[in-house]
Amino acid sequence: MGKLIEELKQDIQYQHGMNACLNCGICTAVCPAAEVYDYSPREVMNICHQEDEEALIELLKSDKIWYCGQCFSCTPRCPRGNSAARVILALRRLSIRYGYFAESEKGRQQLFAKRVFGENLLKRGLTLLATNITPQNFPELGEFWEYYFEHMKEMREWWGVPMDLENSPGSHRIIPEKDMEELRAIYKATGALELMEAIEKGMEKKLGSKEEVEKYWQTWLETGDSRNYQLKKEKEEDK
Amino acid sequence: MKVARQNIHWENHQKHIPTVEEEGGRVWGCFRSCFLQSAAPYTEGIAYKILKNDLGIDLREAPGHTSCGAIGYHGDVTKLETQMVIAARNFSVAHYELGVDNLFSFCVTSFANYTEMIQLWQEDPQLREYTAKTLKETTGRDFWIPQVCGYPSVVHASDIFYANRHILAAKAKYSLKGIKAVDHIGCHYAKIFPGEVVGGCEFPRVLVGLLEAFGAEIVDYPERRHCCGMGFRNCAFPENRDYTASSVYKKLSSLKETHPDCDLILTNCPGCTVFLDAEQGTIKEVLGVEFNIPVMDYAQLTGLLLGYDPFKDCGFNAKVVPIEPLLDKIGIPYDKSKTPEERRRPF
Ligand code: SF4
Ligand code: SF4
C-alpha cells in the first residue's frame, strides 16, 4: 500500500467518513457541488476506496477536492453511513501537506482562505470581520448594504449592536489580549500554524518566489478574481 | 400541512430543550456567530432583545470567548485537534468564569462543531485526554463538558425559540394567519448530527413548530432540503459564487413552481439568511427572473410579530428583497410617510 494511502487512513475524519462504499451515487444525486461542477463525491469515494496511490495523487492535485461546499448534504443520506464531506476534509489536509493543492486553480485559492480566515483568527479571534464583507466583493448584497457599509459604526449602534467594544461581551468585540495569547498558543500547539505555513510554502514553490505569491494575492485583492493572475507556464504558452 | 415519515428512529427523537418555565432554562451561556457579526449583525441584536426582554433569560457571554474557528476548519486552515482545544477553551471560559452549564450558539456551524467535539470526547477517551492536556498546557484552564438537562451537548439559538414558542406566540401582537411559509433549515444544523435535531434532518420541527405556533400555513416543495449554496470557499471567494447563486436558483425555482403564493422563507442559519436573500438580486440581474420571496431568520420573524420595529430592531433595511408587501399582508404598521429609501437610511 502506498505512503499517502497509509497517511490518509490515519486521519480520523477519513476513518469516520469511510466505510465500504457501494458506489450507489446517492451522495452525488443530492450534492450541490455536483450540480454545478464536474464533480462527484461518489467518484472521490471510489478513488479512495480503490487504494491506488497514483490515482490518489492525481486527485490531490486536481480541482475536484476543492469543489465541495462542506454542506454535509451527502452525509445523512448515505445508505452505508459514509460521509464524503469528512473524507474531503482529510484529502484537503493531505493535499496541503504535500503541496499538491497549488497544482490546481481552486486549490491555489487556499492562499485566500489562509490570509482571510486564518489571519483573522490569529489577529482578532474571529474568522470573519465586518470589514471583509465589502460591497465590492459582495455586490449582491445590494445598494442598502452599500449604505450600511458607509455608515457601519452608526448603523450598528442604531440596531443596538455596537461594534469593536473593548472588554465587552458585545458583537464583533475586541477580544482581550490575554485571551488572544491563549488562542495563538492553541493554534501553535495543535498544528494549525504549520498547516497555514504549508499553504504559503506550497504557493511559493508553485509560483517560483515570495514576490510572485504577493502578486497573486494583490491580483485577487484588486480584481476579486485569481484567474487574472497568469501562471508562468500559461504566460509562456501565450508567447 | 404536516409532512412526516415514521420509519427512521431519529425522526421521533425529541431532544429536550428546557423552556424558561423550567429549571435550567432561565440561564444560558451563548456564543456569537462571526458570520452574523460581519454579514447580518442585526439578527443577533433582535435575538438578544427577545431572549432578554420577552423571555427574561439571563444571557451570559464572556468577553474572552472566541470564534469556534469552524469556518476556518471547513475552509481548511485549521485541524481537528485545533477545533477540539478551542471548543474546550470556550466551554471552560463559560463554565468557570460565568458559572453556566447550558450553552447555545447563534451559528449552526458552531452548533455542529461543538456537537462533534463533545461526541468525539465521549466516544474516544484518548481524544478527551489529549484535549484536556493541551488545554491545560496552552491556557492553564480546566476541561469541562457542557450539558443541557444533564445530557452532554449544546443547542442552537433557534432551539430556544422553538422550546419557548407557545410563550412567544401568546405574547405576539400579530399573527401569521393566512400566511403561507416554509422553513429552510441550515445544513449544519440538521445534516451532520440528525440525532441532535428536533425531528431529524428531513422533517425537522424546529422552524415549522415556530411558524405553526404563530399561525402560518406550511407549504412543502421538492428542493426544500437542498443546500442554499453558501458552501464556505464557494461564497467567500467571488470567483466561486456562481455556485451559491445556482443553488439559490434551483431552490427558489422549485418553490415557485410548486407554491407561487409562498409568502416567506424562515431560516436558522446565518449563511442561508444572507444568501437566499442576496442571490435573488443576482438572479434578477443576470437572468431577469424575479422571485421576491422575503427571507428572514427565526429571531427577525419573532421580533416582527412581537411588535418590534421592522427596521431599527429587526434590521430589514439591509435586505435585498423588500419587506413592505409582507408587512402589509400581516398588518404590521410602519412609517408610510417615508419613502422606502428613507426608511432604510436613518442618517
Ligand atoms: S451515498 Fe454512500 S455508498 Fe453511495 S456512493 Fe455515496 S458514499 Fe458510496
Ligand atoms: S458536503 Fe461536499 S460532497 Fe457532500 S453534498 Fe455537500 S458539496 Fe457535496
Side-chain angles (χ1 to χ4, degrees):
Chain A
M1 198 185 297
K3 182 170 160 246
L4 287 166
I5 301 275
E6 269 309 311
E7 225 178 294
L8 184 61
K9 285 180 145 182
Q10 299 303 314
D11 194 308
I12 180 171
Q13 291 290 21
Y14 185 78
Q15 291 164 5
H16 288 187
M18 173 66 99
N19 302 306
C21 164
L22 66 95
N23 248 312
C24 65
I26 291 177
C27 50
T28 299
V30 298
C31 171
E35 186 91 17
V36 296
Y37 289 127
D38 175 18
Y39 171 71
S40 156
R42 183 202 57 75
E43 187 193 359
V44 170
M45 296 300 276
N46 201 24
I47 293 172
C48 295
H49 208 217
Q50 283 169 353
E51 304 193 353
D52 173 339
E53 184 89 353
E54 259 172 55
L56 177 65
I57 292 177
E58 203 181 307
L59 180 67
L60 296 177
K61 287 182 176 173
S62 74
D63 280 318
K64 301 224 165 169
I65 55 171
W66 305 101
Y67 288 144
C68 164
Q70 285 292 298
C71 66
F72 283 69
S73 299
C74 49
T75 303
R77 275 83 175 251
C78 172
R80 295 287 310 142
N82 294 331
S83 172
R86 290 191 195 286
V87 169
I88 288 283
L89 282 169
L91 289 169
R92 286 179 175 178
R93 276 150 190 77
L94 195 59
S95 177
I96 293 171
R97 280 206 299 279
Y98 282 86
Y100 292 147
F101 75 98
E103 297 300 324
S104 70
E105 179 194 305
K106 298 285 181 193
R108 287 190 287 276
Q109 294 172 344
Q110 274 314 97
L111 188 78
F112 319 140
K114 185 262 171 181
R115 291 191 179 186
V116 180
F117 308 147
E119 288 180 16
N120 280 347
L121 276 165
L122 296 173
K123 283 185 198 135
R124 288 287 307 263
L126 310 169
T127 2
L128 286 177
L129 298 181
T131 45
N132 295 145
I133 317 296
T134 60
Q136 184 203 352
N137 274 349
F138 293 85
E140 54 267 81
L141 293 174
E143 50 172 328
F144 296 118
W145 188 257
E146 263 174 62
Y147 175 84
Y148 150 79
F149 207 79
E150 279 162 26
H151 302 83
M152 193 188 285
K153 273 211 168 335
E154 301 101 290
M155 280 300 288
R156 293 170 78 118
E157 267 163 37
W158 190 72
W159 281 325
V161 277
M163 70 190 294
D164 292 341
L165 302 182
E166 279 182 52
N167 223 346
S168 142
S171 174
H172 203 274
R173 64 194 177 278
I174 310 282
I175 294 168
E177 188 48 33
K178 67 167 188 20
D179 295 281
M180 285 305 302
E181 275 166 23
E182 292 183 12
L183 193 71
R184 289 184 202 111
I186 295 173
Y187 272 81
K188 187 153 192 279
T190 57
L193 287 188
E194 207 182 324
L195 190 71
M196 290 187 210
E197 237 354 87
I199 294 172
E200 294 279 347
K201 282 202 193 114
M203 287 299 286
E204 194 184 324
K205 190 160 166 247
K206 175 69 189 173
L207 302 186
S209 66
K210 278 202 167 70
E211 289 71 52
E212 283 300 315
V213 178
E214 291 318 307
K215 258 192 222 160
Y216 175 85
W217 169 243
Q218 280 306 324
T219 306
W220 186 67
L221 285 184
E222 280 159 25
T223 68
D225 192 339
S226 68
R227 289 166 296 191
N228 293 324
Y229 172 90
Q230 266 202 317
L231 286 176
K232 237 205 208 130
K233 200 172 119 243
E234 291 169 359
K235 273 191 212 156
E236 276 157 17
E237 277 166 9
D238 281 357
K239 272 181 206 158
Chain B
M1 187 191 348
K2 208 169 200 158
V3 185
R5 187 174 60 172
Q6 302 301 336
N7 60 347
I8 292 185
H9 74 277
W10 39 253
E11 280 167 10
N12 301 321
H13 170 73
Q14 301 282 317
K15 69 176 171 187
H16 188 69
I17 310 142
T19 69
V20 291
E21 283 158 0
E22 286 168 72
E23 200 52 51
R26 282 180 291 270
V27 181
W28 285 94
C30 68
F31 295 132
R32 287 191 184 259
S33 149
C34 26
F35 195 104
L36 287 179
Q37 291 180 100
S38 322
Y42 44 83
T43 59
E44 278 184 5
I46 182 64
Y48 252 78
K49 285 175 194 165
I50 297 167
L51 292 168
K52 283 186 150 170
N53 306 341
D54 300 279
L55 289 175
I57 290 175
D58 175 0
L59 276 185
R60 298 187 191 172
E61 183 191 346
H65 95 242
T66 68
S67 163
C68 71
I71 293 181
Y73 185 62
H74 296 287
D76 310 288
V77 299
T78 79
K79 298 175 63 180
L80 186 67
E81 290 82 351
T82 321
Q83 295 310 112
M84 287 196 288
V85 184
I86 301 266
R89 181 184 177 278
N90 280 338
F91 294 158
S92 180
V93 168
H95 184 65
Y96 294 110
E97 287 184 11
L98 306 175
V100 290
D101 296 321
N102 297 354
L103 290 164
F104 74 83
S105 67
F106 280 108
C107 176
V108 297
T109 294
S110 296
F111 165 69
N113 173 77
Y114 290 138
T115 302
E116 177 164 4
M117 303 315 141
I118 292 169
Q119 295 201 352
L120 286 174
W121 296 330
Q122 307 276 102
E123 283 166 16
D124 189 337
Q126 270 182 339
L127 293 179
R128 184 184 165 132
E129 217 171 278
Y130 166 85
T131 309
K133 188 167 159 272
T134 316
L135 179 69
K136 192 79 189 171
E137 283 168 4
T138 49
T139 69
R141 294 180 189 272
D142 293 317
F143 184 75
W144 172 80
I145 298 182
Q147 310 204 336
V148 177
C149 297
Y151 171 61
S153 59
V154 297
V155 299
H156 183 254
S158 62
D159 287 327
I160 302 192
F161 279 71
Y162 170 78
N164 291 295
R165 66 195 179 284
H166 299 302
I167 300 170
L168 291 167
K171 290 185 178 224
K173 277 196 184 156
Y174 309 101
S175 121
L176 292 181
K177 244 184 160 25
I179 298 293
K180 291 190 177 171
V182 65
D183 59 349
H184 173 80
I185 302 285
C187 292
H188 284 197
Y189 173 82
K191 293 174 184 167
I192 308 188
F193 298 101
E196 298 299 311
V197 173
V198 188
C201 71
E202 296 292 355
F203 303 101
R205 294 286 306 155
V206 62
L207 296 182
V208 160
L210 192 65
L211 284 166
E212 283 176 352
F214 288 132
E217 181 189 331
I218 311 296
V219 300
D220 191 17
Y221 68 103
E223 297 298 347
R224 187 169 174 186
R225 302 295 170 227
H226 197 70
C227 171
C228 74
M230 178 270 197
F232 296 91
R233 63 195 333 278
N234 290 296
C235 76
F237 312 142
E239 64 205 79
N240 299 345
R241 210 171 299 133
D242 40 357
Y243 175 106
T244 313
S246 308
S247 302
V248 173
Y249 182 73
K250 182 180 166 99
K251 279 191 73 75
L252 298 189
S253 313
S254 164
L255 173 59
K256 272 283 166 180
E257 253 173 48
T258 350
H259 290 284
D261 54 351
C262 179
D263 297 300
L264 81 96
I265 297 179
L266 191 65
T267 57
N268 69 344
C269 166
C272 316
T273 308
V274 170
F275 288 109
L276 283 177
D277 173 64
E279 296 309 326
Q280 292 189 47
T282 310
I283 293 165
K284 182 173 159 189
E285 208 165 284
V286 176
L287 300 175
V289 176
E290 282 193 55
F291 292 114
N292 274 327
I293 304 173
V295 177
M296 64 194 75
D297 84 348
Y298 56 91
Q300 287 180 293
L301 176 73
T302 308
L304 283 183
L305 299 178
L306 288 172
Y308 282 96
D309 186 88
F311 302 98
K312 193 172 184 339
D313 295 309
C314 303
F316 280 103
N317 28 355
K319 291 270 188 184
V320 170
V321 176
I323 190 69
E324 284 87 341
L326 180 65
L327 298 180
D328 292 339
K329 197 161 179 184
I330 303 175
I332 296 174
Y334 55 92
D335 190 350
K336 288 191 176 157
S337 70
K338 287 183 179 165
T339 65
E341 279 71 28
E342 285 165 350
R343 280 194 285 273
R344 284 163 175 77
R345 298 177 181 186
F347 307 109

